[in-house]
Amino acid sequence: MTPAQPLAEALAGRLIVSCQAPPGDPMRHTDTLVRMTLAARDGGAAAVRVNDPEVVAATVAAVDLPVIGLWKDGDSGVFITPTVRHALALVEAGAAVVAADATARPRPDGSTFAELVEAVHAAGASVMADVSTLAEGRAAAAEGADFVGTTLSGYVPGSPVQTAPDLALVTDLAGSIGTPVIAEGRIATPEQAAQALAAGAHSVVVGTAITAPTALTRLFAEGLTD
C-alpha cells in the first residue's frame, strides 16, 4: 500500500473545501483562513485545500483533516507550486498532499513535474496534479501523481472555456487512468458536485461557492443592477 492509498480511501465520494483568498481580499489573513477550514470541517468536509506554507502549517496545527497544500507564486504561467523548492516547503509545513501545476507549460526553473513528484514522494507526502486536458492528466498519472485534478481546465490555452465544471474532462480522465480523479473548477452547487461524482470523480473540490464572501457579495450586488 502506498502512502496515498489510505487518504484516497478516506476521500472517496467526499467533499474537499478550498479555503483560499486572493491578494488584497479582506479574508486573506492566516487566522481567518484557518477558521474557514474549521468551519469546513464542521460542515462535513473530508479535507481542505489551502495556499501558502504559513497557512498550511497553521491549518495542520489547528484542524484534524488532511491538508492539500499549494503555493501560488506569481500570477501567470506555471505559478501553482511551480518548483521543487515550493513543493518541499509545503511538505515541511505539514501538507499531506502537495498540489502542483502539471500542465504542459514550462516550469520557471526548468524542472519537470516528474522531478517534483519524486522529491515530494521522497519527503513522505503525496501529489495532486492540477491539469487542464486529458493528455496532461495521462502524463501526470504516468509520472507518478497520486491524484489528478481538473483544476486548470478553462484557465490554460487549449482547454475549453466555460462557466460550468468540465465534466467531460472528468469522465475522460476517469475512464483512462487508474489514478483517482478530483473534480475542481467552477463547481457552484451541490447538484454540480453530485454530477461530478456521477461522471467518475473520486472526490470534489469546491472553493468560491463556499469560501469567497467577497466574490459572492459582488455576484449578488451586480445582479441587482443588471
Side-chain angles (χ1 to χ4, degrees), residues 111-190:
S111 64
T112 66
F113 178 72
E115 290 170 340
L116 183 148
V117 172
E118 182 179 9
V120 171
H121 283 172
S126 302
V127 175
M128 175 177 171
D130 290 349
V131 306
S132 66
T133 66
L134 175 60
E136 291 168 352
R138 285 174 168 165
E143 290 168 341
D146 303 285
F147 304 92
V148 173
T150 59
T151 316
L152 293 173
S153 174
Y155 303 103
V156 175
S159 61
V161 176
Q162 53 189 306
T163 58
D166 191 348
L167 298 182
L169 179 56
V170 172
T171 299
D172 290 345
L173 284 169
S176 63
I177 63 175
T179 304
V181 175
I182 299 180
E184 182 174 8
R186 301 176 301 279
I187 297 173
T189 67

Side-chain angles (χ1 to χ4, degrees), residues 21-51:
D25 192 288
M27 301 293 287
R28 195 178 173 101
H29 181 276
T30 297
D31 183 63
T32 300
L33 293 168
V34 170
R35 289 176 182 277
M36 193 183 292
T37 66
L38 289 166
R41 178 202 64 187
D42 291 354
V48 291
R49 178 172 160 123
V50 300
N51 172 45

Side-chain angles (χ1 to χ4, degrees), residues 79-104:
F79 67 88
I80 298 178
T81 318
T83 71
V84 171
R85 174 181 67 83
H86 291 82
L88 292 180
L90 293 165
V91 178
E92 184 176 355
V97 181
V98 171
D101 185 312
T103 64

Side-chain angles (χ1 to χ4, degrees), residues 137 140 161 175 194 218 224:
V161 176
R218 184 177 299 115
L224 295 178

